[in-house]
Amino acid sequence: MARFFSIQRIGETAIDAAVRLTGPYRLLYECLRNIPALKAAPVRAVFYKQVYFTGIQALKTVSLISVVIGIVIITQVANIVGLNSGLTGKILIWTVVRELAPLMTAIIVIARSCTATSVELGTMRLGGEIDSLRLMGIDPIDYLVVPRVAGITISLLVLTFYFQIFAVAGGLLASSMLMGASFVQQAQTIISVFSPLEIAVPALKVIFFGLVISSASCYHGLGVKSTTGVPRAASTAVMQALFFVFLLDGAITVLTYL
């Protein structure tokens, strides 16, 4: 009997884990089906607020971190290979544009928006606001999830672009000041080795990252059932978003560049 109940608990735990793992993506599917809800003015208002919080308010943080990373990479490259503008430009593209910019920006958004969204929706769930929306005939997915998913994804895409620009510019500026290299010459070298693939692949990564981050934060926030569940939901959303961001990053990189 004890063995039976032990197996039953294992099965229940496995089912619960599977539901938690796949739940955000079922919610994402419903959200993408309801994306025309953005045409409604109240939904667009929520979307604009999400873009302001996730995108505009994070610009200072993203800019500062990106410049520091660009300087650090250039310094390390200079210590290894010396003054080589061609190699420096290629390394900036390989490390910053391809990999670090999407990953670091995603981590910043997870730290800020994933936790905030989970806590916000969890608090709304406990306060009865979501039930009130249903009583008024408003679909919570249309009003709460769709604008947040769209806002976080678009903001992440734009922030990654900013990260790439500031990191490359900061790296080239540091190279010019510390090693006497020509800023213009290095910039021309980077432009010459750029290809549509260097833009398309990071953009594809970021779109997937944004969808994963936003759907995980909304799903776990809406699933809160008690006050103690709010921080637990935020923690679960962050860990799940991080896991799938790194998983997707590795998978897309392998499929694209190998």
Side-chain angles (χ1 to χ4, degrees), residues 21-210:
L21 194 64
T22 60
Y25 310 108
R26 295 196 304 270
L27 180 64
L28 177 60
Y29 173 73
E30 293 296 325
C31 172
L32 295 177
R33 287 181 56 190
N34 296 2
I35 203 70
L38 284 171
K39 296 178 181 179
V43 178
R44 286 201 307 272
V46 178
F47 167 76
Y48 295 145
K49 290 179 181 178
Q50 188 66 53
V51 169
Y52 177 76
F53 174 73
T54 302
I56 296 176
Q57 290 190 334
L59 279 177
K60 291 182 180 179
T61 303
V62 169
S63 301
L64 178 61
I65 293 176
S66 61
V67 170
V68 171
I69 286 179
I71 293 174
V72 169
I73 291 176
I74 288 297
T75 303
Q76 294 295 330
V77 171
N79 287 333
I80 297 173
V81 302
L83 182 59
N84 187 328
S85 60
L87 183 58
T88 298
K90 290 180 180 179
I91 290 178
L92 275 175
I93 292 176
W94 294 337
T95 57
V96 174
V97 176
R98 286 186 183 181
E99 297 298 330
L100 283 181
L103 272 179
M104 291 299 299
T105 310
I107 291 172
I108 293 171
V109 170
I110 288 172
R112 295 185 75 256
S113 298
C114 189
T115 52
T117 301
S118 298
V119 171
E120 181 184 18
L121 293 180
T123 304
M124 294 176 67
R125 174 70 182 270
L126 294 178
E129 295 177 54
I130 294 177
D131 293 332
S132 299
L133 287 174
R134 290 195 177 97
L135 289 174
M136 291 186 292
I138 300 174
D139 189 346
I141 293 180
D142 288 350
Y143 185 69
L144 299 176
V145 179
V146 169
R148 284 171 171 81
V149 169
I152 290 174
T153 303
I154 293 174
S155 298
L156 183 57
L157 185 62
V158 176
L159 286 174
T160 302
F161 178 69
Y162 270 92
F163 193 107
Q164 292 169 334
I165 291 178
F166 277 92
V168 171
L172 297 184
L173 184 61
S175 178
S176 300
M177 295 176 62
L178 299 176
M179 298 179 292
S182 170
F183 183 92
V184 175
Q185 182 181 356
Q186 292 183 95
Q188 290 175 343
T189 302
I190 289 179
I191 293 174
S192 66
V193 298
F194 243 101
S195 67
L197 191 66
E198 310 297 347
I199 299 175
V201 174
L204 178 65
K205 286 184 179 181
V206 169
I207 291 172
F208 279 112
F209 291 171

